[in-house]
Amino acid sequence: AQSVTQLDSQVPVFEEAPVELRCNYSSSVSVYLFWYVQYPNQGLQLLLKYLSGSTLVKSINGFEAEFNKSQTSFHLRKPSVHISDTAEYFCAVSISGNTGKLIFGQGTTLQVKP
Amino acid sequence: KAGVTQTPRYLIKTRGQQVTLSCSPISGHRSVSWYQQTPGQGLQFLFEYFSETQRNKGNFPGRFSGRQFSNSRSEMNVSTLELGDSALYLCASSSGQNTNYGYTFGSGTRLTVV
């Protein structure tokens, strides 16, 4: 069975500082990896995804994540955060070629302080 | 292009009642998935439909059911509501048959059982 562990439940950081949100997964088969962001009282928004190819994937708003197969990790990073990045971030996996089912981590709340 | 629409946004029901939640996917999307989000259990997969067929199901009791119509709109039903069913219910749609296409989430229906 697949599982996802987000190692930090809360990450406080000052504005313009770098941040890393950690995600490890467990799976005996090939997986796709995703990061979603959730703002208060809203649904989930896809931030970025890794399907195959280059292990470094980037979003349009400055986030990036690197797939590390040997360490089964998919950590999310941003070199300089803004107040508006304050939200909950979810790492998720799905089995390659499977249908519809995403397995989510417990989420990491990113708190950006001025 | 309109996003995923979930109705109603908020719902209060009494224990023992039943409830129906609705999800209208993005136009052209044929896959619809449902998730339950609670503070304790996080995001859990309920079921997924593609072209009116349930293709995948999570580990929820039979009180939770769903269906998809020919226009891809989906409903989920919870019968004999329990206090523990209080949650944010999220619907997600995708254009493809596999999760590599990515899922777009709605804003959710917040169900409170009293």
Side-chain angles (χ1 to χ4, degrees):
Chain A
Q2 292 71 39
S3 66
V4 179
T5 303
Q6 290 184 244
L7 297 161
D8 306 294
S9 59
Q10 293 190 353
V11 174
V13 63
F14 287 105
E15 194 173 19
E16 297 183 7
V19 70
E20 179 180 78
L21 307 184
R22 297 179 293 168
C23 172
N24 284 93
Y25 70 93
S26 172
S27 176
S28 58
V29 298
S30 177
V31 296
Y32 297 142
L33 295 152
F34 304 83
W35 275 100
Y36 281 86
V37 58
Q38 186 177 35
Y39 299 100
N41 298 316
Q42 295 187 25
L44 302 171
Q45 298 176 27
L46 179 64
L47 200 53
L48 42 75
K49 60 184 177 183
Y50 171 78
L51 307 178
S52 65
S54 173
T55 57
L56 182 66
V57 290
K58 299 185 180 185
S59 73
I60 58 173
N61 56 356
F63 283 95
E64 62 180 37
E66 185 155 22
F67 169 57
N68 188 318
K69 188 175 182 179
S70 63
Q71 297 186 1
T72 59
S73 68
F74 191 54
H75 300 331
L76 180 69
R77 302 184 183 96
K78 188 170 185 180
S80 175
V81 294
H82 304 291
I83 295 286
S84 59
D85 293 324
T86 295
E88 189 156 20
Y89 292 79
F90 293 92
C91 181
V93 302
S94 70
I95 300 173
S96 301
N98 199 351
T99 56
K101 181 178 181 178
L102 291 169
I103 298 166
F104 286 90
Q106 285 295 100
T108 298
T109 300
L110 175 63
Q111 301 164 322
V112 181
K113 304 176 182 180
Chain B
K1 171 167 164 178
V4 178
T5 304
Q6 292 188 247
T7 56
R9 282 299 308 274
Y10 300 92
L11 206 47
I12 299 175
K13 288 287 188 180
T14 304
R15 195 170 43 180
Q17 287 186 311
Q18 76 165 17
V19 67
T20 299
L21 311 181
S22 179
C23 172
S24 293
I26 290 173
S27 178
H29 284 194
R30 296 164 63 192
S31 171
V32 173
S33 297
W34 288 88
Y35 292 83
Q36 182 196 64
Q37 184 177 24
T38 60
Q41 299 298 316
L43 281 153
Q44 294 187 287
F45 173 77
L46 281 155
F47 27 66
E48 186 256 356
Y49 288 87
F50 182 84
S51 293
E52 301 179 67
T53 301
Q54 185 183 87
R55 294 194 301 185
N56 218 335
K57 190 177 188 305
N59 296 323
F60 278 81
R63 300 185 297 107
F64 291 82
S65 63
R67 59 178 175 170
Q68 186 180 33
F69 301 95
S70 58
N71 62 358
S72 294
R73 190 177 71 84
S74 177
E75 289 181 347
M76 68 162 280
N77 184 276
V78 188
S79 63
T80 320
L81 283 165
E82 301 176 0
L83 297 179
D85 297 332
S86 294
L88 180 66
Y89 290 88
L90 293 165
C91 162
S93 76
S94 173
S95 59
Q97 291 188 298
N98 298 319
T99 43
N100 60 337
Y101 284 87
Y103 276 79
T104 302
F105 282 79
S107 297
T109 293
R110 185 165 296 281
L111 172 65
T112 302
V113 182
V114 297

